Amino acid sequence: MNRTDNLTELNARVLAACRELATLTEVPGETTRTYLCPTTRDVHAFLRAWADWLGLSTTVDAVGNLRSRRESAGARTLYVGSHIDTVPNAGAYDGMLGVLLAYALVEALGDRGLPFAIEVLAFSEEEGVRYGVPFIGSRALTGTVNEMLGLLDAEGQSVEDAIRAFGLSPDDLPAARVTGGALGYVEVHIEQGPVLQAAGAAVGVVTAIAGQNRVLLDFRGRASHAGTTPMAHRRDALAAAAHFVVAVEDRARNTPGLVATVGVMQARPGAINIVPGDVHCTLDIRHERDAARLDALPALLDDAQRFAAERGVTVTVTPKMEERATPMDAGFQALLHHAADDEGLLHPELVSGAGHDAMVMGTVMPAAMLFVRSPNALSHHPDEMVNPEDVEAALRILLRFVERLALEVTA
């Protein structure tokens, strides 16, 4: 079997595995797999079987990351992978595609020697669904996960308790951290947007991952009778919050590159004949330049305070998360571009508006991302799609990337 046939076969197996793993869910009838849910063990078993067949040494670290190593005489390590958790009612490719392509890469390399080891990373958590804050998996490798151990899920179970319930121990966190010898990290991921489809390109090279803030806002007024409370005497928390939502949209529309979203709005007591006394809402704000994001955020929070004060309402702001914008490594970007040229493929550059493990890994080592076209520009949805030929293109580029990196390391 020649190389082209081999990669085509590998690609078909990757796509079939994506579909099979999508059935490993904690909610029957949909793909939902949150941090360390019971079906995580089933995913680990599937991936470990492939790793064992490839002769890789595989471990599960202190936060549940599955890590498979292809050793080398070289002292450094290239990390390749993505995440295995999902949002509720997800598609089959977000995260998992990058993990499976990493194993396919190792298989495609066969027994050829490399001047560095390769470690395939199947991160246990990236989406932030269970604990409201993402990147538990990659933060373990960068030594920044300890501050998350006390976070509670909806049932009141802490991250630390979840780790112990899964049979792991936070005492082993130091062993999970990358302490030296890192050559870099590369991640393949579906784009989750329309840019590559519009450009007619199968793949794209990510230049930066947008920085983001997530904030909780609680507007507190006074609940009162909808029929007997005159408008001038109302302290309507929902009216204040609604003005805030419009201000968020207006500022994002008028600031190039800024995206801002109020994704949750909960009014209480929630009856048709009661003026809302309390409203809880969220704000998610992102930009590829930290300065633009950090200019917009306080302005929007000032708007919230103003709209509240105009209605006799108070507002409490609780910061939930902040991630700085992360430029991808210029050298790794260049290697991806050259690898795409080797395969005769278009390779436009684009910014990732979504957060990815590469932004965490990029704080301690060179990091890069290759996006695969989303044909219907849809993600975090059961109808998420990929073109098989685009996935094979990504596999070919990943292999060329490793070959070129090997030449650089030995030069």
Side-chain angles (χ1 to χ4, degrees):
M1 180 179 294
N2 62 41
R3 175 177 165 184
T4 300
D5 289 340
N6 184 45
L7 292 183
T8 299
E9 178 187 341
L10 270 173
N11 182 62
R13 284 166 47 204
V14 164
L15 294 172
C18 282
R19 293 188 292 270
E20 181 173 348
L21 289 167
T23 67
L24 301 179
T25 175
E26 59 186 304
V27 180
E30 63 182 50
T31 301
T32 298
R33 195 167 49 243
T34 59
Y35 178 56
L36 295 186
C37 69
T39 52
T40 301
R41 298 186 191 279
D42 300 321
V43 176
H44 282 180
F46 183 101
L47 297 175
R48 188 186 286 271
W50 195 353
D52 289 347
W53 184 74
L54 293 173
L56 308 183
S57 58
T58 301
T59 58
V60 178
D61 69 18
V63 299
N65 298 321
L66 191 77
R67 302 168 66 162
S68 300
R69 285 186 64 85
R70 180 189 195 266
E71 298 293 352
S72 165
R76 304 176 74 185
T77 300
L78 174 69
Y79 296 89
V80 189
S82 193
H83 61 96
I84 63 172
D85 67 316
T86 75
V87 297
N89 200 21
Y93 306 103
D94 180 355
M96 190 58 76
L97 179 67
V99 174
L100 292 167
L101 281 174
Y103 282 105
L105 165 68
V106 174
E107 182 168 341
L109 286 167
D111 59 1
R112 75 182 75 177
L114 291 175
F116 48 82
I118 293 179
E119 185 165 316
V120 176
L121 299 171
F123 288 119
S124 57
E125 200 282 334
E126 185 259 13
E127 296 288 5
V129 172
R130 183 171 178 181
Y131 288 98
V133 179
F135 308 127
I136 293 174
S138 48
R139 284 183 185 276
L141 275 76
T142 62
T144 57
V145 77
N146 296 71
E147 63 202 57
M148 306 173 75
L149 295 179
L151 294 175
L152 302 178
D153 64 12
E155 281 69 48
Q157 187 176 50
S158 70
V159 173
E160 180 173 355
D161 289 341
I163 288 171
R164 295 190 186 281
F166 199 76
L168 304 170
S169 174
D171 296 338
D172 296 328
L173 279 172
R177 185 174 183 177
V178 175
T179 56
L183 188 58
Y185 172 77
V186 62
E187 179 175 357
V188 180
H189 203 284
I190 58 171
E191 181 199 348
Q192 304 176 279
V195 175
L196 294 177
Q197 178 68 11
V203 296
V205 178
V206 177
T207 58
I209 301 174
Q212 60 177 289
N213 288 80
R214 294 182 185 179
V215 177
L216 310 181
L217 297 96
D218 288 282
F219 293 82
R220 291 187 173 86
R222 183 176 61 200
S224 58
H225 197 291
T228 62
T229 308
M231 300 304 293
H233 292 269
R234 296 185 177 205
R235 293 169 57 191
D236 189 334
L238 184 55
H243 276 268
F244 171 70
V245 174
V246 174
V248 168
E249 182 186 48
D250 286 346
R251 184 169 293 273
R253 285 181 177 272
N254 292 302
T255 305
L258 185 72
V259 291
T261 306
V262 176
V264 173
M265 178 76 79
Q266 298 167 332
R268 294 180 292 267
I272 195 170
N273 61 343
I274 301 178
V275 176
D278 295 282
V279 170
H280 172 77
C281 69
T282 60
L283 173 64
D284 180 305
I285 183 169
R286 311 183 189 208
H287 200 282
E288 66 177 293
R289 291 188 298 106
D290 286 329
R293 172 175 51 86
L294 295 176
D295 282 345
L297 179 59
L300 287 173
L301 298 181
D302 285 346
D303 285 341
Q305 296 287 354
R306 176 165 55 86
F307 297 138
E310 289 172 353
R311 292 160 180 81
V313 173
T314 63
V315 61
T316 301
V317 176
T318 305
K320 190 69 173 175
M321 186 195 81
E322 180 173 7
E323 294 288 347
R324 295 174 59 87
T326 307
M328 296 290 93
D329 180 74
F332 272 25
Q333 286 185 61
L335 286 177
L336 287 173
H337 283 302
H338 291 316
D341 280 335
D342 290 342
E343 295 294 332
L345 293 163
L346 295 174
H347 43 94
E349 294 184 339
L350 66 168
V351 173
S352 174
H356 297 285
D357 290 302
M359 72 191 304
V360 177
M361 298 294 283
T363 64
V364 297
M365 65 182 72
M369 290 195 75
L370 183 72
F371 272 175
V372 178
R373 170 168 44 190
S374 295
N376 59 355
L378 194 61
S379 183
H380 286 188
H381 189 280
D383 294 337
E384 195 172 77
M385 292 175 58
V386 293
N387 294 324
E389 61 271 23
D390 296 349
V391 176
E392 183 172 339
L395 177 56
R396 292 177 178 278
I397 291 171
L398 199 55
L399 184 58
R400 294 284 193 180
F401 171 90
V402 169
E403 292 170 346
R404 282 182 166 272
L405 183 60
L407 291 174
E408 281 198 358
V409 170
T410 55

